[in-house]
Amino acid sequence: MRIAFLGTPDFAVQALKALMTTGHQLVMVYAQPPAPRGRGQDLRPSPVQACAEAAGIPVRTPASMRDPAEIEAFAALNLDLAVVAAFGQILPGAVLDAPRLGSINLHASLLPRWRGAAPIQRAIMAGDRVTGLNIMQMTEGLDEGPVLLSDTLRIDALETAGTLHDRLAALGARMVVEAVAGLDQGTLIPTPQPDDGVTYAKKIRPKEARIDWSKPADEVDRRIRGLSPFPGAWFMAPSDKGPTRIKALLSKPEDTQGEPGTALPGTALDDALLIACGTGSVRLLRAQREGKAAQDAETFLRGFRLPAGAKVG
């Protein structure tokens, strides 16, 4: 089959690499245009673009797939199938329907739960115990298409968005090979999504990243893990050099009570990383000071101490 792949971030790279092993012809890869990255803010290709170019696959990076010239160029590829994974643009019907077998999408949730932009983060933040990956036939509605393949993953107690992202990306790579084979052989049966249970994973807003210690410990813990490693839930803590911004990257809830936002006493080494919430408390297991590398709790406490009774916010 003649296949085009549309994707941009790291999440999509494993699926692209898996498609390279299928024996089908990857005639074009589409990715978002190069963007400023790193300290110098130099324009750099996305992970998908870099992967495709290293493999010698032609790449297009259109600003908009709604541009009539791009739609015409896409149709001229005479595709059998388009595979989409976190491309980053809403595709018009003229693009979705151009390939002979249409377009399929790898979506990191169990649809219809968590349609939209941030399904991995929202699943953890909501306290879901199970998530998974669906491969669906794409329609113009937001993640509303019928499901072709589905598999599940358990969300562990110390799961972060980063670790779940990596597990789902690996799962997607295995499933996309199965999906392409099934479509080629005509053995996949699309299953319409149920009308009940629809939720939307809205894009993470910057204001959501600041920790509200008045919330219950379970909720604070889920927010920390759901926003780790990016953008990172954060709080301000006092230090000898003035207020210091700290990202909380891994945590677990505990039953210890105290005034919300107060560092609670523990052992001589860990009292600075047990912080009271509205109910219960959260123990930080990994943290990062502004301008410093992320560190586990023991290493962090060698360079920054927050004594019991200190207030954070």
Side-chain angles (χ1 to χ4, degrees):
M1 290 195 297
R2 291 174 59 82
I3 298 176
F5 182 84
L6 296 84
T8 299
D10 285 321
F11 178 82
V13 169
Q14 290 196 51
L16 174 58
K17 289 181 176 179
L19 281 175
M20 294 178 191
T21 70
T22 62
H24 296 291
Q25 185 182 3
L26 270 168
V27 298
M28 187 66 69
V29 166
Y30 284 79
Q32 291 284 71
R37 304 175 196 277
R39 289 187 177 181
Q41 291 294 285
D42 297 325
L43 288 179
R44 297 182 187 177
S46 69
V48 163
Q49 180 181 351
C51 177
E53 290 178 341
I57 302 171
V59 179
R60 292 180 70 92
T61 58
S64 173
M65 288 296 291
R66 295 184 178 275
D67 184 331
E70 289 296 339
I71 294 174
E72 184 178 352
F74 190 82
L77 295 173
N78 295 316
L79 298 169
D80 293 298
L81 180 67
V83 177
V84 183
F87 177 50
Q89 293 186 33
I90 296 176
L91 301 175
V95 169
L96 298 177
D97 299 336
R100 177 176 61 89
L101 296 173
S103 304
I104 62 173
N105 176 251
L106 283 70
H107 186 75
S109 79
L110 297 176
L111 295 166
R113 184 159 179 80
W114 302 128
R115 294 173 178 172
I120 296 174
Q121 295 93 330
R122 295 297 180 191
I124 293 175
M125 290 166 68
D128 291 0
R129 300 294 182 88
V130 175
T131 189
L133 191 135
N134 281 170
I135 295 182
M136 64 178 174
Q137 194 82 43
M138 295 184 72
T139 63
E140 289 194 81
L142 179 62
D143 299 328
E144 295 177 3
V147 174
L148 299 169
L149 285 176
S150 181
D151 205 348
T152 62
L153 287 179
R154 180 176 176 81
I155 298 178
D156 297 327
L158 294 179
E159 194 88 66
T160 67
T163 60
L164 186 55
H165 166 283
D166 293 347
R167 293 170 64 208
L168 285 165
L171 178 61
R174 296 194 298 270
M175 289 176 64
V176 75
V177 173
E178 182 182 350
V180 168
L183 288 167
D184 188 29
Q185 298 161 14
T187 57
L188 290 185
I189 300 174
T191 302
Q193 295 182 35
D195 295 328
D196 296 333
V198 175
T199 58
Y200 289 93
K202 295 180 180 179
K203 184 178 180 180
I204 302 297
R205 298 167 296 175
K207 68 179 183 180
E208 293 182 82
R210 186 161 191 170
I211 297 173
D212 181 354
W213 297 104
S214 70
K215 300 292 185 181
D218 285 346
E219 184 175 333
V220 173
D221 168 63
R222 295 196 306 264
R223 180 158 303 229
I224 288 170
R225 293 184 293 106
L227 298 181
S228 174
F230 182 83
W234 61 275
F235 61 96
M236 300 301 295
S239 73
D240 295 340
K241 298 180 180 180
T244 298
R245 179 165 166 155
I246 295 174
K247 283 186 178 182
L249 299 174
L250 185 62
S251 59
K252 64 177 182 178
E254 297 193 3
D255 294 331
T256 311
Q257 301 289 335
E259 184 181 348
T262 303
L264 300 176
T267 67
L269 289 179
D270 69 13
D271 55 357
L273 296 183
L274 181 64
I275 302 175
C277 301
T279 56
S281 56
V282 161
R283 184 176 297 278
L284 303 185
L285 304 177
R286 189 167 179 81
Q288 181 179 12
R289 280 186 286 165
E290 194 166 19
K292 304 289 185 179
Q295 298 173 317
D296 61 31
E298 183 177 353
T299 305
F300 182 89
L301 287 168
R302 294 191 188 121
F304 189 93
R305 184 172 179 269
L306 192 65
K311 301 288 187 178
V312 303

mmCIF file of all heavy atoms in Angstrom, residues 27 45 60 75 82 114 125 130 133 165 167 179 197 232 240 256 276 296 301:
data_model
loop_
_atom_site.group_PDB
_atom_site.id
_atom_site.type_symbol
_atom_site.label_atom_id
_atom_site.label_comp_id
_atom_site.label_asym_id
_atom_site.label_seq_id
_atom_site.Cartn_x
_atom_site.Cartn_y
_atom_site.Cartn_z
ATOM 1 N N VAL A 27 5.203 6.963 1.330
ATOM 2 C CA VAL A 27 5.515 7.894 0.248
ATOM 3 C C VAL A 27 5.720 9.316 0.732
ATOM 4 O O VAL A 27 6.347 10.123 0.054
ATOM 5 C CB VAL A 27 4.417 7.861 -0.836
ATOM 6 C CG1 VAL A 27 4.331 6.479 -1.455
ATOM 7 C CG2 VAL A 27 3.067 8.268 -0.269
ATOM 8 N N PRO A 45 13.772 20.890 13.571
ATOM 9 C CA PRO A 45 12.691 20.006 13.127
ATOM 10 C C PRO A 45 12.085 19.242 14.283
ATOM 11 O O PRO A 45 12.750 18.994 15.303
ATOM 12 C CB PRO A 45 13.388 19.066 12.141
ATOM 13 C CG PRO A 45 14.813 19.061 12.570
ATOM 14 C CD PRO A 45 15.088 20.449 13.079
ATOM 15 N N ARG A 60 6.905 16.864 4.323
ATOM 16 C CA ARG A 60 6.291 18.168 4.114
ATOM 17 C C ARG A 60 5.903 18.725 5.480
ATOM 18 O O ARG A 60 5.461 17.964 6.360
ATOM 19 C CB ARG A 60 5.047 18.067 3.224
ATOM 20 C CG ARG A 60 5.360 17.699 1.778
ATOM 21 C CD ARG A 60 4.094 17.604 0.945
ATOM 22 N NE ARG A 60 3.468 18.907 0.713
ATOM 23 C CZ ARG A 60 3.725 19.676 -0.336
ATOM 24 N NH1 ARG A 60 4.599 19.285 -1.244
ATOM 25 N NH2 ARG A 60 3.100 20.835 -0.497
ATOM 26 N N ALA A 75 -3.839 14.912 -2.281
ATOM 27 C CA ALA A 75 -4.637 14.050 -3.155
ATOM 28 C C ALA A 75 -3.789 13.456 -4.276
ATOM 29 O O ALA A 75 -3.997 12.312 -4.699
ATOM 30 C CB ALA A 75 -5.808 14.831 -3.725
ATOM 31 N N ALA A 82 -3.839 6.921 5.067
ATOM 32 C CA ALA A 82 -3.099 7.905 5.859
ATOM 33 C C ALA A 82 -3.159 7.490 7.319
ATOM 34 O O ALA A 82 -4.226 7.128 7.834
ATOM 35 C CB ALA A 82 -3.683 9.305 5.689
ATOM 36 N N TRP A 114 -12.090 10.891 27.102
ATOM 37 C CA TRP A 114 -10.937 11.742 26.825
ATOM 38 C C TRP A 114 -10.673 11.943 25.340
ATOM 39 O O TRP A 114 -9.595 11.683 24.833
ATOM 40 C CB TRP A 114 -9.687 11.225 27.536
ATOM 41 C CG TRP A 114 -9.836 11.126 29.014
ATOM 42 C CD1 TRP A 114 -9.571 10.040 29.794
ATOM 43 C CD2 TRP A 114 -10.292 12.151 29.916
ATOM 44 N NE1 TRP A 114 -9.834 10.302 31.118
ATOM 45 C CE2 TRP A 114 -10.288 11.604 31.219
ATOM 46 C CE3 TRP A 114 -10.712 13.472 29.750
ATOM 47 C CZ2 TRP A 114 -10.688 12.334 32.337
ATOM 48 C CZ3 TRP A 114 -11.116 14.193 30.871
ATOM 49 C CH2 TRP A 114 -11.090 13.625 32.133
ATOM 50 N N MET A 125 -4.900 12.928 36.045
ATOM 51 C CA MET A 125 -5.434 13.963 36.925
ATOM 52 C C MET A 125 -6.833 13.621 37.432
ATOM 53 O O MET A 125 -7.221 14.023 38.537
ATOM 54 C CB MET A 125 -5.440 15.300 36.192
ATOM 55 C CG MET A 125 -4.034 15.860 35.952
ATOM 56 S SD MET A 125 -3.970 17.228 34.751
ATOM 57 C CE MET A 125 -4.821 18.510 35.655
ATOM 58 N N VAL A 130 -7.507 2.868 34.689
ATOM 59 C CA VAL A 130 -7.211 2.182 33.431
ATOM 60 C C VAL A 130 -7.336 3.174 32.289
ATOM 61 O O VAL A 130 -8.212 4.041 32.287
ATOM 62 C CB VAL A 130 -8.182 0.999 33.198
ATOM 63 C CG1 VAL A 130 -7.943 0.364 31.821
ATOM 64 C CG2 VAL A 130 -8.019 -0.051 34.288
ATOM 65 N N LEU A 133 -5.228 2.644 24.360
ATOM 66 C CA LEU A 133 -5.027 3.279 23.064
ATOM 67 C C LEU A 133 -6.050 2.732 22.081
ATOM 68 O O LEU A 133 -6.276 1.529 22.019
ATOM 69 C CB LEU A 133 -3.606 3.047 22.552
ATOM 70 C CG LEU A 133 -3.227 3.899 21.338
ATOM 71 C CD1 LEU A 133 -1.840 4.511 21.503
ATOM 72 C CD2 LEU A 133 -3.286 3.088 20.058
ATOM 73 N N HIS A 165 2.969 8.144 28.855
ATOM 74 C CA HIS A 165 3.217 8.524 27.463
ATOM 75 C C HIS A 165 4.086 7.488 26.770
ATOM 76 O O HIS A 165 3.787 7.017 25.668
ATOM 77 C CB HIS A 165 3.887 9.910 27.438
ATOM 78 C CG HIS A 165 4.498 10.303 26.131
ATOM 79 N ND1 HIS A 165 5.709 9.800 25.689
ATOM 80 C CD2 HIS A 165 4.078 11.162 25.164
ATOM 81 C CE1 HIS A 165 5.998 10.323 24.509
ATOM 82 N NE2 HIS A 165 5.029 11.151 24.171
ATOM 83 N N ARG A 167 4.723 4.336 27.615
ATOM 84 C CA ARG A 167 4.079 3.024 27.506
ATOM 85 C C ARG A 167 3.025 3.014 26.403
ATOM 86 O O ARG A 167 2.894 2.049 25.646
ATOM 87 C CB ARG A 167 3.451 2.655 28.845
ATOM 88 C CG ARG A 167 4.470 2.413 29.962
ATOM 89 C CD ARG A 167 3.780 2.300 31.300
ATOM 90 N NE ARG A 167 2.912 1.149 31.353
ATOM 91 C CZ ARG A 167 1.826 1.050 32.109
ATOM 92 N NH1 ARG A 167 1.453 2.080 32.854
ATOM 93 N NH2 ARG A 167 1.103 -0.040 32.100
ATOM 94 N N ALA A 179 -3.080 -2.801 12.697
ATOM 95 C CA ALA A 179 -4.163 -2.082 12.013
ATOM 96 C C ALA A 179 -3.925 -1.996 10.513
ATOM 97 O O ALA A 179 -4.840 -2.208 9.711
ATOM 98 C CB ALA A 179 -4.306 -0.684 12.598
ATOM 99 N N GLY A 197 -20.722 8.254 28.104
ATOM 100 C CA GLY A 197 -19.354 8.241 28.612
ATOM 101 C C GLY A 197 -18.398 9.178 27.905
ATOM 102 O O GLY A 197 -17.178 9.070 28.084
ATOM 103 N N GLY A 232 4.890 20.612 34.331
ATOM 104 C CA GLY A 232 5.391 20.508 35.697
ATOM 105 C C GLY A 232 4.571 21.325 36.666
ATOM 106 O O GLY A 232 4.483 22.548 36.545
ATOM 107 N N ASP A 240 17.043 31.136 51.514
ATOM 108 C CA ASP A 240 17.941 32.217 51.901
ATOM 109 C C ASP A 240 18.057 33.278 50.816
ATOM 110 O O ASP A 240 18.368 34.443 51.100
ATOM 111 C CB ASP A 240 19.331 31.660 52.226
ATOM 112 C CG ASP A 240 19.324 30.758 53.446
ATOM 113 O OD1 ASP A 240 18.366 30.870 54.237
ATOM 114 O OD2 ASP A 240 20.253 29.940 53.579
ATOM 115 N N THR A 256 -0.903 12.149 57.018
ATOM 116 C CA THR A 256 -0.509 13.165 57.983
ATOM 117 C C THR A 256 -1.256 14.474 57.741
ATOM 118 O O THR A 256 -1.374 14.918 56.601
ATOM 119 C CB THR A 256 1.007 13.426 57.889
ATOM 120 O OG1 THR A 256 1.699 12.177 57.903
ATOM 121 C CG2 THR A 256 1.476 14.286 59.057
ATOM 122 N N ALA A 276 1.527 19.602 53.858
ATOM 123 C CA ALA A 276 0.123 19.416 54.210
ATOM 124 C C ALA A 276 -0.786 19.952 53.108
ATOM 125 O O ALA A 276 -0.508 20.982 52.482
ATOM 126 C CB ALA A 276 -0.190 20.117 55.532
ATOM 127 N N ASP A 296 15.962 13.292 42.590
ATOM 128 C CA ASP A 296 15.156 12.543 43.542
ATOM 129 C C ASP A 296 15.226 13.236 44.893
ATOM 130 O O ASP A 296 16.033 14.144 45.113
ATOM 131 C CB ASP A 296 15.608 11.084 43.623
ATOM 132 C CG ASP A 296 17.059 10.918 44.077
ATOM 133 O OD1 ASP A 296 17.550 11.754 44.850
ATOM 134 O OD2 ASP A 296 17.711 9.962 43.632
ATOM 135 N N LEU A 301 17.396 17.257 48.670
ATOM 136 C CA LEU A 301 17.526 17.769 50.036
ATOM 137 C C LEU A 301 18.963 18.079 50.427
ATOM 138 O O LEU A 301 19.198 18.760 51.422
ATOM 139 C CB LEU A 301 16.928 16.770 51.017
ATOM 140 C CG LEU A 301 15.395 16.713 50.994
ATOM 141 C CD1 LEU A 301 14.890 15.513 51.769
ATOM 142 C CD2 LEU A 301 14.809 18.005 51.544
#
